[in-house]
C-alpha cells in the first residue's frame, strides 16, 4: 500500500513572533522554518508502517514556495521515498491545500492519506477532514495508535473523555495526534542522500486546481498579555487573597 | 441571506453547555451576516429530547434523527446528515461547538457544502469577519470567510452560553431519504471499543475550578496522591501539562494547552507546571490563576494572579486541608 503524507512547513515554535507593520502576516524574513510537528509524526508513522511491511512507498506532498523543498528533503532524510512540491507563492488556506491533496491522491494508487491533525501556525485542525470529505473517504482523526490489517485501518482516537478505537476500510484518511510516536531525527548522511531521492515539482495549473481562497486573513494582532499578579508567602496568604480579593471560596 | 444551522451536541438528550456557547456565536453571526434565522439538527439516541429543548432558545426549526446510523458518533454519517439538514432547512452556513466530534465532523461538512471553514473561533466582528487564535494563542487573526457557504466551529470558552428567547418553531424528524449514500453503512466502518477516562469529577472544559499538575509531581502515584485530593477539596476537574501526560502521570485527554483542551474556569491552579507557551495557550483566559512552583523564575508566574514559590509536596496537601475545612464549614 502506498501512503501519501501531506506536510506543511511552519515557523519554528521557539522563535519570537513579530507581525508585519501592516498586520497582514507575521514577519518571515530570515526566520527558521520547521516541518509542522504533527506532520513529522505522520512521516514517522508512515515509516514505521513501511518497516512493518504494511506500506510499500511513502510519497510526500506540500504546497508552497520553492524553498519548502528543504523541509521536504528533511522528511525524505527521515525515510520517505519521494516528494511532490506544488509550487505556489500566494497564500494557501486549508481549502486550497485540501483540493491539492485530493488531486494528487487521485493520480496515484494510494491506500492512505496520513497527515498531522493541525499545523502549529494556523492551529486549525481541519485539513484532514476537508480532504476526507472532498474524496468521500472514511476518516480517523486525532490518532494515537494506527494498525493496518487486511484492507482496514484500526485507529485509536483521542476524543473528549477518553480513547475510541474505530475500524475503517482502506483507502482512508488518518490524522495524527501528539502521542502517536516520537519522530526520529534525520541523520546527516541521510540528509545528503535525500537530495538524490525523486523530487517532482508541479504547478496548480498542471493539477487543475484554482488558486482561489475561501478564507482570507484580514489582519493579525497580538493579544494583550495577562499581567503578572503578586507572590504570596504561604497557604494562609493565598487563601486570604482568594477569599478577600478574588471572592472565591 | 439564508439561515444558519446549529449542530446541537448533546449527551443522551441533554444539550451540552458548549452547544449554548455555539448558539451565542450563531446569534452574533446571524446579526453580522444578516442571516434570516437559526435552525438546528441533533443526531443520535434521545436527539428528539435535545431538539425539543432547543425550541426555547428560539431555533425556528429543529431536525433530529435517532436512526441506528447515529447510535455511536462517526464522522461520515454525521457529516452527511448535517449537510442534508442544512439543505433541507435552507441553511447555507453551519455552526457547532469545537468538541472532539465537532472538530471531527464539521470540516467534513464544509467539504460537502464546498464551504469556507473556520475552526475554534473566539469572537465575531460587526463586519462579519471572525476572530480565531493562531500560533498557540500568541496571535489573534481576524479572518473573512469569502465563500457563500460557511462552516464554523466555536471555542466553548469564547462565548457566554446563550439564554432562552422567543420565536422557537417546529421539531421534526430528519428525512434521510435525501441522501442515498447515507445507507452505505459498511463504507463508514465501525466503532470497535471505547475506553473512558475515570469520570467521577467535573468535565475539564466545563469545570468552575481546574487544578492541573506538571512534571514536578514526579510520578503517577504522586500525581494521584497530591492532585486528586486537591481537586476533590475544590470540587474541581483535574488537568495536566503536556510534560506530565508525556511522562504517563495523567491520561492524554487531561492535557491542557495548544494541542489539548482549552479551559477558562473561574479558578485555575497550576501545580508544579513551569508554564511553556503551549500550556499557557490552554489556560490563560482563566479568571483567576494560582501557580505553585518552587522555581521563582518559572514563566507560569508571569500569568499568575497569585504565585506561591514553594515545594508543592508541602503546600498542596496543606491547601487541600484548608480548603476542605472552609468548604465543610460553609
Amino acid at each position: 500500500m502506498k501512503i501519501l503524507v501531506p506536510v506543511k512547513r511552519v515557523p519554528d515554535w521557539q522563535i519570537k513572533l513579530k507581525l508585519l507593520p501592516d498586520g497582514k502576516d507575521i514577519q518571515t524574513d530570515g526566520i527558521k522554518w520547521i516541518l509542522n510537528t504533527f506532520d513529522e509524526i505522520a512521516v514517522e508513522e508512515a515509516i514505521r508502517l513501511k518497516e512493518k511491511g504494511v506500506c510499500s512507498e511513502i510519497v510526500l506532498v506540500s504546497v508552497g514556495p520553492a524553498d519548502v523543498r528543504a523541509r521536504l528533503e528533511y522528511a525524505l532524510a527521515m525515510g520517505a521515498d519521494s516528494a511532490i512540491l506544488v509550487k505556489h507563492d500566494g497564500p494557501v488556506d486549508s481549502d486550497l491545500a485540501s483540493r491539492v491533496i485530493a488531486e494528487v491522491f487521485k493520480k496515484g494508487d494510494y491506500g492512505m492519506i496520513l497527515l498531522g491533525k493541525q499545523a502549529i501556525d494556523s492551529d486549525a485542525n481541519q485539513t484532514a477532514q476537508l480532504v476526507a470529505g472532498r474524496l468521500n473517504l472514511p476518516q480517523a482523526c486525532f490518532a494515537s495508535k494506527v494498525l493496518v490489517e487486511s484492507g482496514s485501518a484500526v485507529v485509536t482516537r483521542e476524543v473528549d473523555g477518553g480513547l475510541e478505537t474505530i475500524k475503517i476500510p482502506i483507502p482512508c484518511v488518518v490524522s495524527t495526534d501528539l502521542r502517536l510516536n516520537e519522530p526520529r531525527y534525520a541523520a546527516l548522511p541521510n540528509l545528503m542522500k535525500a537530495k538524490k531521492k525523486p523530487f517532482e515539482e508541479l504547478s496548480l495549473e498542471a493539477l487543475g486546481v484554482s488558486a482561489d481562497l475561501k478564507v482570507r486573513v484580514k489582519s493579525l494582532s497580538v493579544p494583550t498579555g495577562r499581567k503578572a499578579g503578586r507572590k504570596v508567602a504561604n497557604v494562609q496568604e493565598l487563601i486570604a487573597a482568594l477569599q478577600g480579593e478574588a471572592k472565591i471560596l | 441571506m439564508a439561515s444558519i444551522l446549529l449542530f446541537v451536541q448533546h449527551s443522551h438528550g441533554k444539550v451540552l453547555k458548549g452547544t449554548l456557547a455555539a448558539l451565542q456565536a450563531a446569534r452574533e453571526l446571524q446579526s453580522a451576516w444578516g442571516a434570516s434565522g437559526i435552525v438546528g439538527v441533533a443526531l443520535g439516541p434521545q436527539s428528539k429530547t435535545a431538539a425539543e429543548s432547543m425550541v426555547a432558545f428560539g431555533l425556528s426549526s429543529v431536525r433530529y434523527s435517532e436512526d441506528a446510523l447515529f447510535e455511536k458518533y462517526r464522522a461520515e454519517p454525521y457529516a452527511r446528515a448535517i449537510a442534508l439538514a442544512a439543505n433541507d432547512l435552507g441553511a447555507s452556513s453551519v455552526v457547532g461547538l469545537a468538541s472532539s466530534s465537532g472538530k471531527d465532523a464539521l470540516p467534513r461538512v464544509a467539504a460537502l457544502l464546498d464551504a469556507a471553514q473556520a475552526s475554534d473561533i473566539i469572537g465575531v466582528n460587526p463586519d462579519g469577519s471572525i476572530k480565531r487564535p493562531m500560533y498557540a494563542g500568541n496571535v489573534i487573526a481576524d479572518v473573512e470567510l469569502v465563500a457563500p457557504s460557511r462552516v464554523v466551529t466555536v471555542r466553548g470558552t469564547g462565548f457566554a452560553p446563550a439564554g432562552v428567547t422567543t420565536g422557537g418553531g417546529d421539531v421534526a424528524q430528519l428525512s434521510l431519504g435525501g441522501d442515498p449514500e447515507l445507507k452505505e453503512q459498511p463504507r463508514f466502518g465501525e466503532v470497535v471499543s471505547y475506553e473512558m477516562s475515570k469520570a467521577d469529577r467535573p468535565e475539564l472544559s466545563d469545570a468552575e475550578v481546574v487544578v492541573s499538575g506538571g512534571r514536578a509531581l514526579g510520578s503517577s502515584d504522586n500525581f494521584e496522591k497530591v492532585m486528586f485530593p486537591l481537586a476533590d477539596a475544590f470540587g474541581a476537574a483535574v488537568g495536566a501539562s503536556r510534560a506530565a501526560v508525556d511522562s504517563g502521570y495523567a491520561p492524554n485527554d487531561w492535557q491542557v494547552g495548544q494541542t489539548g483542551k482549552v479551559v477558562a474556569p473561574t479558578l485555575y491552579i497550576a501545580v508544579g507546571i513551569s508554564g511553556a507557551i503551549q500550556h499557557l495557550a490552554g489556560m490563560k483566559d482563566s479568571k483567576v490563576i494560582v501557580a505553585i512552583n518552587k522555581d521563582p523564575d518559572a514563566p507560569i508566574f508571569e500569568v499568575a494572579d497569585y504565585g506561591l514559590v514553594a515545594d508543592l509536596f508541602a503546600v498542596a496537601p496543606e491547601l487541600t486541608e484548608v480548603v476542605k475545612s472552609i468548604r465543610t464549614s460553609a
Side-chain angles (χ1 to χ4, degrees):
Chain A
M1 161 176 99
K2 270 167 74 178
I3 298 183
L4 181 64
V5 184
V7 298
K8 183 180 185 184
R9 72 155 189 187
V10 296
D12 186 344
W13 58 270
Q14 297 183 79
I15 64 167
K16 175 101 181 103
L17 291 172
K18 287 199 194 89
L19 300 185
L20 290 177
D22 68 0
K24 294 277 184 202
D25 202 351
I26 62 156
Q27 176 69 255
T28 54
D29 283 349
I31 65 163
K32 187 181 171 207
W33 296 94
I34 58 169
L35 200 58
N36 173 37
T37 317
F38 289 92
D39 295 340
E40 203 175 334
I41 293 169
V43 174
E44 173 66 32
E45 195 64 19
I47 296 168
R48 291 186 188 187
L49 289 171
K50 196 178 172 193
E51 287 167 349
K52 279 188 208 159
V54 172
C55 163
S56 56
E57 190 185 342
I58 303 164
V59 180
L60 306 167
V61 61
S62 193
V63 53
D67 56 349
V68 171
R69 181 171 187 139
R71 303 275 63 84
L72 285 166
E73 283 175 350
Y74 182 84
L76 288 170
M78 285 174 69
D81 296 296
S82 64
I84 300 166
L85 174 58
V86 181
K87 277 171 76 174
H88 179 58
D89 289 325
V92 177
D93 63 9
S94 308
D95 175 72
L96 173 52
S98 76
R99 287 183 285 123
V100 166
I101 296 163
E103 287 311 311
V104 170
F105 173 84
K106 286 179 200 162
K107 287 183 197 313
D109 182 25
Y110 297 101
M112 185 184 286
I113 303 177
L114 183 59
L115 70 169
K117 76 165 182 181
Q118 80 192 62
I120 60 166
D121 53 356
S122 50
D123 278 340
N125 190 339
Q126 60 195 27
T127 302
Q129 298 88 318
L130 288 167
V131 170
R134 288 209 169 272
L135 292 167
N136 200 16
L137 293 177
Q139 74 188 46
C141 294
F142 332 138
S144 65
K145 191 175 177 192
V146 179
L147 294 172
V148 176
E149 54 185 42
S150 56
S152 294
V154 180
V155 179
T156 301
R157 305 175 57 227
E158 296 199 15
V159 296
D160 293 342
L163 295 169
E164 179 199 70
T165 301
I166 60 171
K167 185 175 180 179
I168 52 175
I170 281 169
C172 61
V173 178
V174 176
S175 83
T176 60
D177 215 315
L178 197 58
R179 271 166 286 271
L180 178 58
N181 60 48
E182 280 188 37
R184 69 196 66 193
Y185 290 103
L188 196 57
N190 291 345
L191 280 165
M192 300 313 291
K193 282 184 222 153
K195 293 185 191 298
K196 298 198 179 75
K197 287 190 175 179
F199 194 100
E200 187 182 2
E201 287 189 356
L202 287 174
S203 63
L204 290 177
E205 297 72 38
L207 278 174
V209 172
S210 89
D212 296 347
L213 298 178
K214 290 193 173 71
V215 175
R216 282 204 205 103
V217 175
K218 248 180 76 188
S219 64
L220 301 179
S221 59
V222 175
T224 43
R226 249 188 121 95
K227 301 194 300 284
R230 62 183 177 89
K231 296 269 168 51
V232 290
N234 50 44
V235 168
Q236 283 70 31
E237 214 177 286
L238 173 61
I239 294 287
L242 288 178
Q243 291 182 315
E245 296 167 22
K247 310 284 180 211
I248 298 173
L249 282 173
Chain B
M1 192 187 160
S3 55
I4 295 173
L5 177 78
L6 177 73
F7 173 39
V8 177
Q9 296 185 60
H10 64 100
S11 174
H12 303 287
K14 190 174 182 295
V15 172
L16 302 186
K17 191 172 137 202
T19 291
L20 297 180
L23 172 58
Q24 180 57 33
R27 286 181 183 170
E28 293 180 24
L29 290 167
Q30 179 193 5
S31 119
W33 292 348
S36 60
I38 301 174
V39 295
V41 62
L43 300 168
Q46 290 149 61
S47 54
K48 186 178 182 204
T49 309
E52 284 167 348
S53 67
M54 291 311 291
V55 172
F57 292 88
L59 269 58
S60 57
S61 199
V62 193
R63 296 285 178 268
Y64 67 90
S65 178
E66 299 182 349
D67 191 281
L69 265 175
F70 311 112
E71 193 186 335
K72 286 179 180 157
Y73 167 81
R74 293 286 300 108
E76 295 78 9
Y78 269 65
R80 286 210 159 269
I82 294 166
L84 182 65
N87 288 329
D88 277 3
L89 294 169
S92 60
S93 300
V94 180
V95 174
L97 173 67
S99 62
S100 58
S101 37
K103 285 192 276 194
D104 190 41
L106 291 176
R108 192 175 173 107
V109 174
L112 298 176
L113 300 176
D114 201 27
Q117 165 73 37
S119 292
D120 220 13
I121 74 161
I122 55 169
V124 175
N125 298 318
D127 68 355
S129 63
I130 56 98
K131 285 190 186 297
R132 56 177 308 274
M134 290 170 62
Y135 298 97
N138 288 308
V139 171
I140 304 297
D142 286 314
V143 303
E144 288 176 294
L145 309 182
V146 290
S149 181
R150 302 151 181 183
V151 177
V152 166
T153 63
V154 176
R155 180 175 287 190
T157 58
F159 296 83
V164 296
T165 184
T166 54
D170 71 299
V171 171
Q173 197 166 324
L174 178 67
S175 159
L176 302 180
D179 183 355
E181 291 210 39
L182 262 173
K183 291 292 163 199
E184 292 184 33
Q185 203 168 357
R187 285 203 47 237
F188 303 148
E190 57 181 325
V191 177
V192 178
S193 63
Y194 185 67
E195 188 188 313
M196 278 221 327
S197 315
K198 274 179 245 157
D200 43 6
R201 294 196 182 84
E203 166 65 29
L204 196 47
S205 332
D206 276 355
E208 286 293 310
V209 181
V210 173
V211 299
S212 279
R215 182 159 38 196
L217 270 307
S219 71
S220 55
D221 272 0
N222 286 345
F223 195 96
E224 199 167 312
K225 263 186 263 173
V226 175
M227 299 306 296
F228 290 8
L230 181 62
D232 295 338
F234 276 102
V238 185
S241 70
R242 176 181 171 181
V245 176
D246 280 348
S247 307
Y249 305 165
N252 295 0
D253 71 311
W254 288 8
Q255 185 181 324
V256 171
Q258 180 191 15
T259 63
K261 295 262 164 56
V262 176
V263 300
T266 309
L267 175 62
Y268 187 89
I269 305 180
V271 179
I273 291 177
S274 63
I277 55 165
Q278 289 83 354
H279 185 76
L280 302 186
M283 45 65 81
K284 66 183 176 191
D285 293 327
S286 304
K287 197 156 162 262
V288 174
I289 297 174
V290 171
I292 298 171
N293 202 300
K294 69 178 174 192
D295 173 8
D297 298 322
I300 191 78
F301 289 124
E302 289 163 27
V303 301
D305 298 285
Y306 305 110
L308 180 51
V309 180
D311 177 12
L312 73 91
F313 293 105
V315 297
E318 188 188 343
L319 181 58
T320 303
E321 289 313 313
V322 177
V323 172
K324 232 195 278 181
S325 67
I326 292 172
R327 285 172 58 103
T328 41
S329 64

